[in-house]
Amino acid sequence: MSTTMIYTLVAIMAVAGIFWLVVYSSRRGQEHRERTSIKPPQSRGPNRTT
């Protein structure tokens, strides 16, 4: 295997790793925002409009 091929494979793996980290951190951030956001209380009465 040539040196150029090894460098190419390492570069592809690095780009794939960075892409995965961006997607993973974005998904985790969204889950964190949903868990920690302040939501209005849901009404449980018979006149519920939702």
Side-chain angles (χ1 to χ4, degrees):
M1 193 180 280
S2 68
T3 307
T4 305
M5 188 67 165
I6 292 172
Y7 286 147
T8 304
L9 287 174
V10 168
I12 290 171
M13 293 298 289
V15 169
I18 291 170
F19 180 75
W20 182 82
L21 281 175
V22 168
V23 170
Y24 180 74
S25 67
S26 172
R27 187 174 61 219
R28 288 291 302 248
Q30 179 65 28
E31 291 173 1
H32 178 71
R33 282 190 295 277
E34 289 174 359
R35 268 198 317 267
T36 58
S37 64
I38 299 172
K39 299 179 182 89
Q42 293 181 347
S43 65
R44 304 245 184 240
N47 297 330
R48 192 168 163 184
T49 58
T50 315

